[in-house]
Amino acid sequence: MTVLRSTLFAILFYAGTVVAVLSAFLIVPFGDAPLRRHALRWACFHRWCARWILGIRSSVEGHVPPGPHLYAAKHQSMFETLELLLVVGDPAAVLKRELADIPLFGQIARREGVIPVDRAGSAKALRRMMRAAIAARDSGRSILIFPEGTRVAPGEQPPLQPGFAGLYKALALPVVPIALDSGLLWPRNSFLKRPGIITIRLGDPLPAGLPRAEIEAQVHAAMNVLDR
């Protein structure tokens, strides 16, 4: 049953994604706001597929504070890259450049407002990311980042990438750490997904302006509270 569910999910979700990307080009002339709503509809489609095909749903603990914040999330699977768009409410997501360079998809993602990051890039690339994040903040959007830099298996707790501290300082926003356990049902680099409930826990906001060592330690600890 797990193989069947996972196969049906892959067929339906990725076919729907092709339709979503192609139809997005029809929305582009109408401006950024309709395009962002279209992206959230795609995230809703992903949620529907996960729930009714895979038998996976999320349980959200904590609350989303009002106003722009920097959200720093654990990253264990593809699930949270779309689910958190709905939980947080249309944040500008920091996305690795390789995804933003995918033909057609990357064009739409950049237009929607994702913030590409080159993890092995130069200081110039980092400054470009900062400018894009500041512009998103100034437009009233929150920023979503996965500060460990890549998907990790449950129990793995790598240090935060340097870009997080730079973004925290440049944006001067409170940080909401997000812990999750998606990797227990949706393992990285695995085709098979198991049914169940994924917990997403939003921590209390941490203030802007803390020293780098302090904010990194607090965020790292809060992101990993669900590790088993």
Side-chain angles (χ1 to χ4, degrees), residues 67-174:
H69 284 70
L70 175 60
Y71 289 84
K74 190 73 178 178
H75 194 14
Q76 294 185 349
S77 75
M78 189 191 80
F79 177 82
E80 58 267 12
T81 61
L82 290 173
E83 184 69 10
L84 289 179
L85 300 184
L86 301 173
V87 172
V88 173
D90 188 33
V94 177
L95 188 74
K96 62 182 180 180
R97 193 194 65 186
E98 293 87 346
L99 294 176
D101 288 343
I102 295 174
L104 301 182
F105 172 82
Q107 292 173 255
I108 293 299
R110 289 174 184 268
R111 183 63 185 264
E112 189 274 337
V114 301
I115 302 169
V117 58
D118 186 349
R119 290 178 294 183
S122 62
K124 181 178 179 181
L126 185 60
R127 289 194 296 270
R128 188 161 52 243
M129 181 193 75
M130 298 296 180
R131 287 196 297 269
I134 290 170
R137 178 205 62 187
D138 291 346
S139 71
R141 299 182 77 181
S142 290
I143 312 299
L144 171 64
I145 186 172
F146 300 99
E148 290 174 336
T150 188
R151 289 174 296 174
V152 298
E156 293 182 0
Q157 301 182 12
L160 307 189
Q161 294 294 306
F164 167 75
L167 202 58
Y168 170 74
K169 181 178 180 180
L171 292 174
L173 288 175

Side-chain angles (χ1 to χ4, degrees), residues 4-81:
L4 178 59
R5 284 175 179 264
S6 299
T7 301
L8 288 176
F9 172 83
I11 293 171
L12 183 59
F13 174 68
Y14 288 108
T17 295
V18 170
V19 173
V21 170
L22 294 178
S23 60
F25 285 95
L26 302 176
I27 300 173
V28 167
F30 297 97
D32 293 346
L35 190 61
R36 284 160 53 185
R37 289 194 295 270
H38 184 70
L40 291 177
R41 285 192 291 270
W42 176 51
C44 286
F45 173 64
H46 173 263
R47 175 184 279 179
W48 185 92
C49 290
R51 180 162 189 173
W52 297 109
I53 299 176
L54 296 175
I56 293 175
R57 62 184 179 89
S58 63
S59 173
V60 180
E61 301 175 356
H63 69 281
V64 175
H69 284 70
L70 175 60
Y71 289 84
K74 190 73 178 178
H75 194 14
Q76 294 185 349
S77 75
M78 189 191 80
F79 177 82
E80 58 267 12
T81 61

